Amino acid sequence: MIVKEFLNKAVSRRGFLGSAGAGAAGLAAAGLGFQQADAAPLEPPANWDYEADVVVIGYGGAGTCAAIEAAEAGASVLAIEKTTTAGGNTSHSGGIVYLGGGTPLQKMHGFDDTPENMYNYLVAQMGPTADKNRIQIYSEQSVGHYDWLTQRGVVFGQKFWEGKVVQPPSEEGGLSFSGNEANSPYSEIAIPMPRGHMPAGAGAQVYAPLKATADKLPIQTIYNTQGERLVVDKSGAVVGIQVRSGIPDPGVPNATPVALSGEIFVKANKGVILTTGGFQFNPEMLAQYAPWYLSAFPLGGPSQVDDGSGIKMGQSVGAALYDLSFASPWKFVYAPGEMCKCILVDQVGARFVGESRYGQDVGDLIIRRNGGVAWQIFDTPTYEAAKAAGGFFSEPVGTADTVEELAASINVDPAILANTVSFYNEQAKQGKDPLFLKHEEFLTPLETGPFLAFDFGVSTGIAFITLGGLRCTENAEVINSFGEIIPGLYSAGKTAPGINPEYYVSGSAVGDGTFWGRAAGRAAAAAASR
Amino acid sequence: MIVKEFLNKAVSRRGFLGSAGAGAAGLAAAGLGFQQADAAPLEPPANWDYEADVVVIGYGGAGTCAAIEAAEAGASVLAIEKTTTAGGNTSHSGGIVYLGGGTPLQKMHGFDDTPENMYNYLVAQMGPTADKNRIQIYSEQSVGHYDWLTQRGVVFGQKFWEGKVVQPPSEEGGLSFSGNEANSPYSEIAIPMPRGHMPAGAGAQVYAPLKATADKLPIQTIYNTQGERLVVDKSGAVVGIQVRSGIPDPGVPNATPVALSGEIFVKANKGVILTTGGFQFNPEMLAQYAPWYLSAFPLGGPSQVDDGSGIKMGQSVGAALYDLSFASPWKFVYAPGEMCKCILVDQVGARFVGESRYGQDVGDLIIRRNGGVAWQIFDTPTYEAAKAAGGFFSEPVGTADTVEELAASINVDPAILANTVSFYNEQAKQGKDPLFLKHEEFLTPLETGPFLAFDFGVSTGIAFITLGGLRCTENAEVINSFGEIIPGLYSAGKTAPGINPEYYVSGSAVGDGTFWGRAAGRAAAAAASR
């Protein structure tokens, strides 16, 4: 999901918004007339302004797949998007889709994956709060989802990228190991299989074919319009939504012109589908639910999305939640893999993670365990090798002939750092890392000075998305805290994580969002009209 | 909050219930006619069975304090309790009440605590999701709460217990350091002050005077009756509750006889106060929200309480939540303090915590970081010293002349264990522990064999309570996800943590529950009648 360019963009945007205050960004938002949704559900109004069988709120990857399936099943569909652009996070993402169980692309490269093998990895990886039933369905239907996507025009790059890559180059795409599949202990639990499927052109080329598919279907779209409050009837069923439009006609091609501005009531005969993403761009929700990540950079599609509005609307009608404290804060050591020959140390000079682990493991420990602090330590040969392989280096914060001397430059305990390096070296010479199980490929002793230290803490950039959200059935029906379905309400994408409420591997957001978006569209279309 | 006897009881109970299945315990529950609440809120019925200004659900420490304040303010009060006994967790607890800011007992022993000093410690300790405003109010009004409790008959033991005690002896009570106050880094953030206030007779003697106070007030009590669904009017206000009674007359002294069994509708003119504790005795909720702790022992008052029903009823009307994944799983190294001279190592043989840290830190790392594994390592002199001081030891799982040999008996990496011990010894000789900041008092090198290893993992007993619950205002009014007050609904105790939604120190549950229970009672009594 992350490419360097994208990360840089996220960093710039944060910087911009951070400094803008009530300036340009603030005014732009105000000009659109948006305000934070701030109230409980409403009773049905005397008059509805719009009506459709299925109303989709948030027209990104999940919402578009929901709209496609609902429209293909014969339902009338109205999709409402807050920004002037469809695509959301999917079109801005790195474009990896997490698929497996024996896809044609896996088979082409001789990877004999099975749904069971994929399930075993995901259950071990995704943490104990993830829904095993939904992981099973996702694994079993993953080849089918691959087919569905490719039949609608998604073209995955055909090359396999061996070893440690954050992701394949944007211009080529292809297949890669996009999680911890090859890292112990996962490599002993399930046969390591690459499951990151990426088209050339990254996320834009996952989304463009889906949008083209949707555009051929009778799907009404309204842009510049924000979901605010659900409308609930006396039985507790969701029968519509009150939205707020900023600009009557934003001039988006194929969009339904909105004659009204301000509060608009939209009737949903069969269901409302919430696909508004996570809440990483809502600092107030972050402060409440996931304050650890306020020091990191929110990552996502056009700014102002991922505002938590879908999650809050779900909560307002009693939806059960996955913990909102979970996020995926990425800090990748590799790119190229040779970078993993460094060791990472914490605020006192001790190692805290296997350096070849997936970026979420590294980033989360830096933020939640180390208070934001981490340092990369190289000796001269590993530094030169990483540089020769194309590794990117900022200026070192310290260079010294001995490890003890290096400690002073990064304010860690010299005795701890010396012990950390010497114990690591002893073990690396035997080809093992019993402390953190770093992949043996990168176990090179750090023995030849000068030694170099690089800042790898949160201030050097850790991007994140939130993971928690609404709990749903396997049909993407939102459930309440008693496990009962809330009639008329569906959700998918980061508003309602299917397989990844607690942990994430690259491609799981786009994979999960498009997959359960489709499920939501089918289920809503099949519901009885109210 | 924990004494050894209590822990043993919890362990036995779990064993009993675990083996009973559909046997004695199952039948007893079935005989009472209870079922898990399993539905959304109800509309007002045509006829109400009971009516009061303030209806309290769950008659433990928080609920009783709520009832007292509401009755003293002139409201009619009906308190409904699921079991046949009042007192809940408070009366079964170790009896520590976390109070400070300059209480008479602190002053008597020369501890010059202030509300600001107490606030500084609690903000640093309680984690970033805790509500700083409520911590401030709790700190500022802590002396007042001490006075309120003692004026109503709570008699705190007068002795100060120096050093590391899990808690004072039950027969004496007294003042002790009940959290991490004296541990670095907290000891640098705030002047360490003992704030654990405990009466002789433990929790029973916190609760008995409160119950005696309540019994003199016009508070109706109904036992054997379980809150099931909130009743909500058209405006979204909570106007009552549907409860279910098992035994028409359980024969509890002073209890209001219940003429009905089955579904009973109780009208609350001013408000419903939910004080049903946490959810550690609800395995289904644990599996959903906090699966890590299924391996530990749920701790609490009479079994069947802490069933999560209050949290679920709150959720059903859109209450905002603190993360339900947080719990306080206690594993105390000390008792006596000399036990802290051991080191604790994880599943590969590395240290992972300062051994003098509060039990929640140790227990949570064992469960969530180490997969349940931990070992205590002593050398012969530290073992003998701990034994002489009254330390309790089971059989060692390994004894060996060298640390490397000891490693085999506990299946950890011998090189890691040897490095762990030798680095610890080097630093301990200099009187420091730069890795984990263990208190210097316990830094004794482990050098003289035979070395001994004791199992300290989750299977040797880690007791826990859940921490997460409903979010409230400073007046204990439950709020929804938009920050709005849900009219007519109040909560306190572990159903709605005030200062400890994420972290816990001993005494904070009884202190927090009684304090915000009082706030709930006052606020509900002051509300306009509906």
Side-chain angles (χ1 to χ4, degrees), chain B residues 260-302:
Chain B
L260 304 159
S261 67
E263 284 187 5
I264 300 170
F265 284 86
V266 181
K267 186 164 190 286
N269 297 325
K270 288 165 173 280
V272 170
I273 301 177
L274 299 173
T275 47
T276 70
F279 63 96
Q280 63 266 26
F281 286 101
N282 183 326
E284 197 182 276
M285 279 181 81
L286 283 177
Q288 271 200 338
Y289 296 110
W292 301 271
Y293 305 106
L294 284 166
S295 59
F297 298 109
L299 194 65

Tab-separated table of all heavy atoms in Angstrom, chain B residues 260-302:
chain	number	residue	atom	x	y	z
B	260	LEU	N	-43.700	-10.434	40.729
B	260	LEU	CA	-43.721	-10.961	39.369
B	260	LEU	C	-42.449	-11.741	39.090
B	260	LEU	O	-41.412	-11.496	39.693
B	260	LEU	CB	-43.766	-9.795	38.377
B	260	LEU	CG	-44.917	-8.816	38.544
B	260	LEU	CD1	-44.557	-7.496	37.880
B	260	LEU	CD2	-46.171	-9.408	37.940
B	261	SER	N	-42.519	-12.653	38.163
B	261	SER	CA	-41.269	-13.170	37.630
B	261	SER	C	-41.295	-12.931	36.130
B	261	SER	O	-42.307	-12.521	35.573
B	261	SER	CB	-41.099	-14.651	37.954
B	261	SER	OG	-42.057	-15.398	37.264
B	262	GLY	N	-40.178	-13.199	35.506
B	262	GLY	CA	-40.106	-12.943	34.065
B	262	GLY	C	-39.855	-11.484	33.789
B	262	GLY	O	-39.204	-10.786	34.573
B	263	GLU	N	-40.392	-10.968	32.693
B	263	GLU	CA	-40.130	-9.600	32.258
B	263	GLU	C	-40.864	-8.586	33.129
B	263	GLU	O	-42.071	-8.671	33.306
B	263	GLU	CB	-40.562	-9.401	30.808
B	263	GLU	CG	-39.591	-10.028	29.838
B	263	GLU	CD	-39.931	-9.672	28.400
B	263	GLU	OE1	-40.856	-8.863	28.168
B	263	GLU	OE2	-39.267	-10.220	27.504
B	264	ILE	N	-40.128	-7.626	33.625
B	264	ILE	CA	-40.704	-6.584	34.467
B	264	ILE	C	-40.260	-5.243	33.904
B	264	ILE	O	-39.083	-5.067	33.573
B	264	ILE	CB	-40.193	-6.720	35.921
B	264	ILE	CG1	-40.588	-8.095	36.492
B	264	ILE	CG2	-40.701	-5.594	36.794
B	264	ILE	CD1	-39.930	-8.402	37.820
B	265	PHE	N	-41.191	-4.305	33.796
B	265	PHE	CA	-40.846	-2.991	33.272
B	265	PHE	C	-40.752	-1.980	34.407
B	265	PHE	O	-41.690	-1.842	35.193
B	265	PHE	CB	-41.870	-2.545	32.227
B	265	PHE	CG	-41.680	-3.249	30.914
B	265	PHE	CD1	-42.256	-4.487	30.676
B	265	PHE	CD2	-40.881	-2.672	29.930
B	265	PHE	CE1	-42.057	-5.144	29.469
B	265	PHE	CE2	-40.672	-3.331	28.715
B	265	PHE	CZ	-41.259	-4.568	28.483
B	266	VAL	N	-39.619	-1.310	34.469
B	266	VAL	CA	-39.362	-0.362	35.565
B	266	VAL	C	-39.186	1.030	34.962
B	266	VAL	O	-38.301	1.253	34.135
B	266	VAL	CB	-38.100	-0.752	36.350
B	266	VAL	CG1	-37.865	0.219	37.501
B	266	VAL	CG2	-38.205	-2.190	36.854
B	267	LYS	N	-40.041	1.939	35.388
B	267	LYS	CA	-39.989	3.303	34.885
B	267	LYS	C	-38.985	4.101	35.710
B	267	LYS	O	-38.962	4.016	36.932
B	267	LYS	CB	-41.375	3.939	34.993
B	267	LYS	CG	-41.492	5.316	34.370
B	267	LYS	CD	-42.974	5.664	34.174
B	267	LYS	CE	-43.161	6.918	33.348
B	267	LYS	NZ	-42.843	8.140	34.100
B	268	ALA	N	-38.142	4.865	35.031
B	268	ALA	CA	-37.173	5.723	35.715
B	268	ALA	C	-37.495	7.164	35.342
B	268	ALA	O	-37.260	7.587	34.210
B	268	ALA	CB	-35.751	5.368	35.276
B	269	ASN	N	-38.063	7.904	36.289
B	269	ASN	CA	-38.496	9.271	35.964
B	269	ASN	C	-37.327	10.195	35.664
B	269	ASN	O	-37.425	11.103	34.852
B	269	ASN	CB	-39.308	9.848	37.121
B	269	ASN	CG	-40.584	9.064	37.358
B	269	ASN	OD1	-41.198	8.575	36.395
B	269	ASN	ND2	-40.973	8.905	38.610
B	270	LYS	N	-36.218	9.970	36.350
B	270	LYS	CA	-35.079	10.857	36.177
B	270	LYS	C	-33.893	10.190	35.503
B	270	LYS	O	-33.135	10.852	34.783
B	270	LYS	CB	-34.638	11.425	37.537
B	270	LYS	CG	-35.597	12.454	38.131
B	270	LYS	CD	-35.308	12.697	39.602
B	270	LYS	CE	-36.145	13.835	40.166
B	270	LYS	NZ	-35.593	15.162	39.838
B	271	GLY	N	-33.701	8.908	35.749
B	271	GLY	CA	-32.559	8.286	35.083
B	271	GLY	C	-32.320	6.850	35.501
B	271	GLY	O	-32.732	6.417	36.583
B	272	VAL	N	-31.662	6.119	34.610
B	272	VAL	CA	-31.181	4.766	34.890
B	272	VAL	C	-29.668	4.854	35.072
B	272	VAL	O	-28.978	5.481	34.267
B	272	VAL	CB	-31.515	3.795	33.728
B	272	VAL	CG1	-30.812	2.453	33.906
B	272	VAL	CG2	-33.025	3.601	33.610
B	273	ILE	N	-29.158	4.244	36.132
B	273	ILE	CA	-27.714	4.225	36.394
B	273	ILE	C	-27.210	2.797	36.247
B	273	ILE	O	-27.636	1.906	36.982
B	273	ILE	CB	-27.397	4.759	37.810
B	273	ILE	CG1	-27.925	6.196	37.966
B	273	ILE	CG2	-25.895	4.703	38.085
B	273	ILE	CD1	-27.729	6.795	39.363
B	274	LEU	N	-26.317	2.589	35.285
B	274	LEU	CA	-25.782	1.250	35.036
B	274	LEU	C	-24.478	1.062	35.815
B	274	LEU	O	-23.490	1.750	35.550
B	274	LEU	CB	-25.516	1.057	33.540
B	274	LEU	CG	-26.729	1.166	32.613
B	274	LEU	CD1	-26.277	1.130	31.147
B	274	LEU	CD2	-27.718	0.032	32.890
B	275	THR	N	-24.491	0.151	36.763
B	275	THR	CA	-23.291	-0.142	37.560
B	275	THR	C	-23.181	-1.651	37.712
B	275	THR	O	-23.267	-2.188	38.817
B	275	THR	CB	-23.377	0.533	38.951
B	275	THR	OG1	-24.681	0.267	39.508
B	275	THR	CG2	-23.185	2.028	38.858
B	276	THR	N	-23.000	-2.324	36.581
B	276	THR	CA	-22.984	-3.799	36.590
B	276	THR	C	-21.580	-4.369	36.468
B	276	THR	O	-21.417	-5.563	36.216
B	276	THR	CB	-23.848	-4.358	35.434
B	276	THR	OG1	-23.169	-4.077	34.197
B	276	THR	CG2	-25.228	-3.719	35.399
B	277	GLY	N	-20.548	-3.526	36.616
B	277	GLY	CA	-19.176	-4.020	36.539
B	277	GLY	C	-18.714	-4.229	35.110
B	277	GLY	O	-19.334	-3.727	34.152
B	278	GLY	N	-17.625	-4.948	34.955
B	278	GLY	CA	-17.013	-5.179	33.642
B	278	GLY	C	-17.588	-6.401	32.955
B	278	GLY	O	-18.771	-6.720	33.122
B	279	PHE	N	-16.767	-7.083	32.171
B	279	PHE	CA	-17.274	-8.263	31.456
B	279	PHE	C	-16.347	-9.464	31.541
B	279	PHE	O	-16.400	-10.366	30.707
B	279	PHE	CB	-17.591	-7.910	29.989
B	279	PHE	CG	-16.422	-7.478	29.141
B	279	PHE	CD1	-15.748	-8.378	28.330
B	279	PHE	CD2	-16.019	-6.155	29.132
B	279	PHE	CE1	-14.681	-7.969	27.536
B	279	PHE	CE2	-14.945	-5.735	28.342
B	279	PHE	CZ	-14.274	-6.643	27.551
B	280	GLN	N	-15.551	-9.523	32.614
B	280	GLN	CA	-14.594	-10.636	32.693
B	280	GLN	C	-15.247	-11.991	32.886
B	280	GLN	O	-14.625	-13.008	32.613
B	280	GLN	CB	-13.523	-10.386	33.758
B	280	GLN	CG	-14.015	-10.278	35.186
B	280	GLN	CD	-14.257	-8.831	35.574
B	280	GLN	OE1	-14.516	-7.971	34.747
B	280	GLN	NE2	-14.181	-8.551	36.868
B	281	PHE	N	-16.529	-12.017	33.295
B	281	PHE	CA	-17.216	-13.308	33.426
B	281	PHE	C	-18.102	-13.629	32.220
B	281	PHE	O	-18.946	-14.508	32.283
B	281	PHE	CB	-18.023	-13.359	34.729
B	281	PHE	CG	-17.159	-13.531	35.940
B	281	PHE	CD1	-16.836	-12.457	36.743
B	281	PHE	CD2	-16.616	-14.774	36.250
B	281	PHE	CE1	-16.014	-12.606	37.850
B	281	PHE	CE2	-15.781	-14.934	37.356
B	281	PHE	CZ	-15.481	-13.853	38.155
B	282	ASN	N	-17.924	-12.882	31.144
B	282	ASN	CA	-18.673	-13.163	29.915
B	282	ASN	C	-17.695	-13.662	28.848
B	282	ASN	O	-17.067	-12.876	28.142
B	282	ASN	CB	-19.373	-11.880	29.448
B	282	ASN	CG	-20.240	-12.101	28.220
B	282	ASN	OD1	-19.905	-12.916	27.362
B	282	ASN	ND2	-21.334	-11.379	28.128
B	283	PRO	N	-17.535	-14.983	28.724
B	283	PRO	CA	-16.513	-15.523	27.821
B	283	PRO	C	-16.740	-15.132	26.359
B	283	PRO	O	-15.783	-14.986	25.596
B	283	PRO	CB	-16.634	-17.043	27.986
B	283	PRO	CG	-17.548	-17.284	29.127
B	283	PRO	CD	-18.302	-16.023	29.410
B	284	GLU	N	-18.012	-14.942	26.004
B	284	GLU	CA	-18.301	-14.573	24.614
B	284	GLU	C	-17.800	-13.153	24.319
B	284	GLU	O	-17.181	-12.900	23.265
B	284	GLU	CB	-19.806	-14.661	24.417
B	284	GLU	CG	-20.259	-14.718	22.995
B	284	GLU	CD	-21.783	-14.745	22.950
B	284	GLU	OE1	-22.368	-15.856	23.078
B	284	GLU	OE2	-22.385	-13.673	22.809
B	285	MET	N	-18.050	-12.244	25.241
B	285	MET	CA	-17.530	-10.888	25.048
B	285	MET	C	-16.003	-10.874	25.106
B	285	MET	O	-15.354	-10.143	24.363
B	285	MET	CB	-18.097	-9.919	26.094
B	285	MET	CG	-19.485	-9.405	25.770
B	285	MET	SD	-20.100	-8.231	27.033
B	285	MET	CE	-19.278	-6.686	26.538
B	286	LEU	N	-15.430	-11.672	25.983
B	286	LEU	CA	-13.968	-11.744	26.038
B	286	LEU	C	-13.417	-12.222	24.703
B	286	LEU	O	-12.446	-11.669	24.177
B	286	LEU	CB	-13.506	-12.701	27.138
B	286	LEU	CG	-13.567	-12.203	28.576
B	286	LEU	CD1	-13.129	-13.316	29.510
B	286	LEU	CD2	-12.710	-10.954	28.776
B	287	ALA	N	-14.041	-13.262	24.153
B	287	ALA	CA	-13.557	-13.806	22.882
B	287	ALA	C	-13.627	-12.747	21.784
B	287	ALA	O	-12.754	-12.671	20.920
B	287	ALA	CB	-14.375	-15.034	22.493
B	288	GLN	N	-14.653	-11.924	21.833
B	288	GLN	CA	-14.811	-10.883	20.816
B	288	GLN	C	-13.852	-9.725	21.022
B	288	GLN	O	-13.263	-9.228	20.078
B	288	GLN	CB	-16.221	-10.296	20.899
B	288	GLN	CG	-17.244	-10.996	20.076
B	288	GLN	CD	-18.446	-10.090	19.829
B	288	GLN	OE1	-18.697	-9.149	20.565
B	288	GLN	NE2	-19.173	-10.385	18.782
B	289	TYR	N	-13.759	-9.255	22.253
B	289	TYR	CA	-13.104	-7.967	22.482
B	289	TYR	C	-11.732	-8.054	23.136
B	289	TYR	O	-10.921	-7.159	22.959
B	289	TYR	CB	-14.010	-7.082	23.352
B	289	TYR	CG	-15.316	-6.706	22.703
B	289	TYR	CD1	-16.521	-7.224	23.151
B	289	TYR	CD2	-15.330	-5.837	21.618
B	289	TYR	CE1	-17.724	-6.871	22.543
B	289	TYR	CE2	-16.532	-5.479	21.010
B	289	TYR	CZ	-17.729	-6.002	21.477
B	289	TYR	OH	-18.900	-5.651	20.873
B	290	ALA	N	-11.505	-9.079	23.921
B	290	ALA	CA	-10.246	-9.147	24.675
B	290	ALA	C	-9.771	-10.588	24.777
B	290	ALA	O	-9.540	-11.112	25.866
B	290	ALA	CB	-10.441	-8.534	26.064
B	291	PRO	N	-9.613	-11.261	23.624
B	291	PRO	CA	-9.350	-12.705	23.627
B	291	PRO	C	-8.044	-13.091	24.310
B	291	PRO	O	-7.903	-14.227	24.753
B	291	PRO	CB	-9.308	-13.061	22.138
B	291	PRO	CG	-9.089	-11.782	21.416
B	291	PRO	CD	-9.713	-10.718	22.261
B	292	TRP	N	-7.113	-12.159	24.420
B	292	TRP	CA	-5.835	-12.452	25.083
B	292	TRP	C	-6.055	-12.988	26.493
B	292	TRP	O	-5.271	-13.769	26.996
B	292	TRP	CB	-4.993	-11.178	25.163
B	292	TRP	CG	-4.699	-10.601	23.832
B	292	TRP	CD1	-3.627	-10.908	23.035
B	292	TRP	CD2	-5.470	-9.632	23.122
B	292	TRP	NE1	-3.698	-10.185	21.869
B	292	TRP	CE2	-4.810	-9.402	21.893
B	292	TRP	CE3	-6.645	-8.944	23.389
B	292	TRP	CZ2	-5.289	-8.499	20.938
B	292	TRP	CZ3	-7.130	-8.054	22.440
B	292	TRP	CH2	-6.456	-7.842	21.237
B	293	TYR	N	-7.117	-12.501	27.157
B	293	TYR	CA	-7.267	-12.776	28.590
B	293	TYR	C	-8.076	-14.024	28.892
B	293	TYR	O	-8.317	-14.340	30.050
B	293	TYR	CB	-7.851	-11.534	29.283
B	293	TYR	CG	-6.993	-10.331	28.995
B	293	TYR	CD1	-7.399	-9.342	28.102
B	293	TYR	CD2	-5.726	-10.241	29.547
B	293	TYR	CE1	-6.576	-8.273	27.794
B	293	TYR	CE2	-4.895	-9.178	29.247
B	293	TYR	CZ	-5.323	-8.196	28.370
B	293	TYR	OH	-4.498	-7.156	28.055
B	294	LEU	N	-8.495	-14.731	27.851
B	294	LEU	CA	-9.234	-15.968	28.085
B	294	LEU	C	-8.384	-16.988	28.834
B	294	LEU	O	-8.915	-17.888	29.482
B	294	LEU	CB	-9.718	-16.559	26.757
B	294	LEU	CG	-10.924	-15.844	26.130
B	294	LEU	CD1	-11.097	-16.272	24.677
B	294	LEU	CD2	-12.195	-16.130	26.925
B	295	SER	N	-7.061	-16.839	28.757
B	295	SER	CA	-6.177	-17.781	29.461
B	295	SER	C	-5.999	-17.417	30.935
B	295	SER	O	-5.369	-18.155	31.676
B	295	SER	CB	-4.816	-17.819	28.775
B	295	SER	OG	-4.231	-16.522	28.775
B	296	ALA	N	-6.513	-16.281	31.347
B	296	ALA	CA	-6.338	-15.828	32.733
B	296	ALA	C	-7.625	-16.056	33.531
B	296	ALA	O	-8.638	-16.500	32.985
B	296	ALA	CB	-5.941	-14.356	32.756
B	297	PHE	N	-7.573	-15.745	34.822
B	297	PHE	CA	-8.710	-16.018	35.701
B	297	PHE	C	-9.514	-14.763	35.942
B	297	PHE	O	-8.992	-13.781	36.475
B	297	PHE	CB	-8.225	-16.537	37.050
B	297	PHE	CG	-7.493	-17.822	36.948
B	297	PHE	CD1	-6.124	-17.868	37.155
B	297	PHE	CD2	-8.152	-18.995	36.604
B	297	PHE	CE1	-5.432	-19.064	37.045
B	297	PHE	CE2	-7.467	-20.193	36.488
B	297	PHE	CZ	-6.100	-20.223	36.703
B	298	PRO	N	-10.789	-14.779	35.603
B	298	PRO	CA	-11.611	-13.597	35.859
B	298	PRO	C	-11.773	-13.392	37.355
B	298	PRO	O	-12.001	-14.341	38.100
B	298	PRO	CB	-12.943	-13.943	35.203
B	298	PRO	CG	-12.971	-15.419	35.104
B	298	PRO	CD	-11.544	-15.869	34.993
B	299	LEU	N	-11.636	-12.163	37.778
B	299	LEU	CA	-11.672	-11.829	39.195
B	299	LEU	C	-12.899	-10.971	39.436
B	299	LEU	O	-13.205	-10.073	38.649
B	299	LEU	CB	-10.405	-11.045	39.521
B	299	LEU	CG	-10.033	-10.854	40.977
B	299	LEU	CD1	-9.695	-12.187	41.624
B	299	LEU	CD2	-8.849	-9.908	41.083
B	300	GLY	N	-13.593	-11.221	40.534
B	300	GLY	CA	-14.738	-10.373	40.821
B	300	GLY	C	-15.589	-10.930	41.927
B	300	GLY	O	-15.288	-11.985	42.492
B	301	GLY	N	-16.653	-10.198	42.202
B	301	GLY	CA	-17.543	-10.539	43.304
B	301	GLY	C	-18.283	-11.823	43.026
B	301	GLY	O	-17.801	-12.671	42.301
B	302	PRO	N	-19.467	-11.963	43.566
B	302	PRO	CA	-20.213	-13.206	43.384
B	302	PRO	C	-20.220	-13.582	41.904
B	302	PRO	O	-20.351	-12.721	41.042
B	302	PRO	CB	-21.624	-12.846	43.869
B	302	PRO	CG	-21.627	-11.394	44.190
B	302	PRO	CD	-20.217	-10.954	44.300
